[in-house]
Every structure is written in structure tokens, then in C-alpha cells.
Amino acid sequence: LEVNFAEELLKKVPVSQRESLIEVLAHDPRPQYHADPDRVYGMEFGGMEVKFKVNHDLLTVLEIS
């Protein structure tokens, strides 16, 4: 998957974890049976909650908290 990450959200991720997070997202962390482009997914990564959507081959990060 291509990962779309707004610069202001990427800045919330420590530099040492950015490459790993993008790699995890690029491997599509959604459950295999999900394919809803309007659904917002969430996952825990390095003590942060990452929210994203996937539409075809594009994963867009929506929020980091």
C-alpha cells in the first residue's frame, strides 16, 4: 500500500519510529476480511493510537494521539 501521511501528523511520531510505522502501515494492518473505504481503523503503535482509512491501494493516516 502507498501510505499518505500529512506532515503535521508525521511530526507527532518520534523520528526513531517513523520508518517502522510507515512500514507497518504499508503492509495493511486491517483484518483481512475488511475492505470498507469509509471505515476508520485504529491501531496501537509505540504508545500512540494511529487512526487511518484505506481506499484501494492508498492508506491515509487521519490522526495520531
Side-chain angles (χ1 to χ4, degrees):
L1 287 177
E2 179 183 343
V3 177
N4 181 11
F5 219 130
E7 190 65 35
E8 65 268 11
L9 292 175
L10 192 57
K11 288 179 182 176
K12 293 183 174 186
V13 180
V15 174
S16 63
Q17 295 180 333
R18 289 179 188 174
E19 189 174 320
S20 296
L21 175 57
I22 291 169
E23 187 174 318
V24 167
L25 292 171
H27 283 90
D28 196 352
R30 298 175 297 167
Q32 290 301 311
Y33 54 87
H34 285 225
D36 181 353
D38 295 321
R39 182 169 177 164
V40 175
Y41 299 92
M43 65 174 242
E44 184 88 18
F45 183 88
M48 299 170 284
E49 181 70 21
V50 181
K51 300 213 173 166
F52 61 93
K53 282 186 173 185
V54 179
N55 191 0
H56 300 288
D57 290 336
L58 178 64
L59 182 148
T60 302
V61 177
L62 304 171
E63 184 181 329
I64 301 269
S65 56

